[in-house]
Amino acid sequence: MTQAPARHALFGHPVAHSLSPQIHAMFGRETGIALTYEAIDCRPEDFAAALERFMAEDGTGANVTLPLKEVAFPLCAQVSERARASGVINTLVREGEAWHGDNTDGQGLLRDLRNRQALDLRQRRTLLLGAGGGARGVAPALLDAGIGDLFVVNRDGTRADALVDRLGLPGKVHARYYDDLGELGDFSLIVNATSAARNTGLPKLPMSLVGSRTACVDLSYGEASIPFLSWARAARAHDVVDGLGMLVEQAAESFKLWHGVRPDADPVYAELRQRHDALVTAD
Ligand code: NDP
């Protein structure tokens, strides 16, 4: 008797343009694991019921994206250490009739920056723009990777304060305002974890933030990464990196949690990069 394919989904709002279904289909082909992976558009107020329905319909694992990463946390019976550190969930693993919550964003970012971009993150004075789900997922991982002082800047200052409090390293992690950026000197790592390009755009960033060896990293990819990465190039950043590699790596990490096998992310990344660059060049 053939076994039914493992059923997976990405929950978010919006999700229609997500690359995750393609990425997991490629991982399934590569590893020979039969699976389905669909994108389910869901508002925060409907998420608990949608997740229950997904379980009743034999869902075995899911990803969660904006704006549901925080809402997912209390729906988990257990969470991993790294998910607890960030307070946000991007991966749900079914255990019997309950969900185990994890967060693979930080690991995904580190794998891309260290292995693919060959960046040594240790002691880098770091500026993190944003304090939403993505920023909360990557901040603990960056600190674990040995960065130097971390400055968190967010449009809503109370969210930056809350992230800094959660990280709990007074003297090393600081909250600041966009208006302070001109007085902060330069950074060797600047991470854009905002969705600003999807709405009104980022507040103006002074070029004095960029020094001779600064790496500028955007968690976004595609169109949404163009404004920040163009600014980084104009400021002569040493390294300019978008979020495509992180996307593929966090997906590989989720796949491993569901199936016990880590797929090789490189061929999937290479294919998506080729398609992505062709699209951006065509614009
Ligand atoms: P959230 O909605 O949780 O957070 C959005 C963040 O962007 C908040 O800090 C918000 O600030 C800030 N923001 C939004 N608009 C503006 C603006 N006009 N000016 C300044 N700040 C603004 O989203 P996520 O954190 O989940 O995602 C952020 C981005 O990162 C998205 O583009 C997402 O696609 C990308 N991402 C990529 C991943 C990958 O694997 N490559 C993984 C995770 C995220 P405020 O709190 O003040 O509203």
Side-chain angles (χ1 to χ4, degrees):
M1 203 172 76
T2 45
Q3 217 183 343
R7 184 172 175 217
H8 302 287
L10 169 68
F11 291 89
H13 180 71
V15 278
H17 300 297
S18 170
L19 294 174
S20 294
Q22 292 175 49
I23 293 173
H24 283 282
M26 288 192 255
F27 287 161
R29 282 197 293 278
E30 182 193 308
T31 56
I33 293 172
L35 59 92
T36 64
Y37 189 109
E38 66 198 294
I40 300 179
D41 198 296
C42 180
R43 292 177 186 276
E45 58 274 25
D46 303 323
F47 182 46
L51 196 58
E52 227 172 89
R53 213 160 38 242
F54 179 66
M55 183 179 276
E57 292 167 358
D58 295 329
T60 54
N63 285 128
V64 182
T65 188
L66 79 163
L68 304 175
K69 287 181 171 178
E70 206 168 333
V71 187
F73 197 93
L75 302 178
C76 299
Q78 301 162 16
V79 296
S80 67
E81 260 319 299
R82 58 191 179 182
R84 190 174 302 286
S86 63
V88 281
I89 302 292
N90 83 332
T91 306
L92 294 162
V93 183
R94 183 167 177 169
E95 283 181 1
E97 296 305 301
W99 293 109
H100 173 83
D102 206 333
N103 194 311
T104 64
D105 279 344
Q107 183 65 13
L109 178 65
L110 293 188
R111 279 188 80 101
D112 183 54
L113 295 187
R114 285 169 166 162
N115 303 352
R116 192 168 288 117
Q117 316 297 339
L119 291 178
D120 184 350
L121 300 176
R122 287 171 298 175
Q123 298 307 323
R124 285 188 185 242
R125 186 171 186 258
T126 298
L127 174 63
L128 177 61
L129 302 173
R136 288 172 66 176
V138 301
L142 288 170
L143 288 164
D144 285 350
I147 58 166
D149 278 9
L150 173 64
F151 290 76
V152 180
V153 171
N154 195 49
R155 187 175 53 174
D156 173 348
T158 59
R159 290 182 92 190
D161 290 340
L163 172 53
V164 167
D165 287 349
R166 172 174 279 277
L167 294 168
L169 292 168
K172 183 171 173 81
V173 182
H174 319 268
R176 292 288 187 274
Y177 295 101
Y178 278 101
D179 286 348
D180 300 333
L181 286 177
E183 279 92 63
L184 293 185
D186 65 7
F187 291 86
S188 41
L189 177 64
I190 304 176
V191 178
N192 178 29
T194 75
S195 54
R198 298 174 194 274
N199 51 64
T200 54
L202 259 183
K204 197 164 163 34
L205 302 176
M207 296 221 172
S208 56
L209 296 172
V210 175
S212 58
R213 60 179 287 267
T214 305
C216 288
V217 177
D218 202 332
L219 300 198
S220 298
Y221 46 88
E223 297 272 310
S225 64
I226 291 174
F228 176 71
L229 298 186
S230 301
W231 170 83
R233 287 191 188 96
R236 300 190 174 279
H238 191 271
D239 304 275
V240 176
V241 181
D242 73 5
L244 194 63
M246 171 184 171
L247 180 76
V248 177
E249 295 294 347
Q250 61 77 30
E253 195 71 11
S254 296
F255 192 97
K256 183 175 155 207
L257 291 171
W258 297 326
H259 303 291
V261 180
R262 189 174 217 287
D264 182 0
D266 286 342
V268 174
Y269 172 75
E271 187 172 334
L272 291 180
R273 171 59 66 198
Q274 203 178 19
R275 278 196 235 158
H276 169 279
D277 289 353
L279 274 180
V280 172
T281 319
D283 276 349

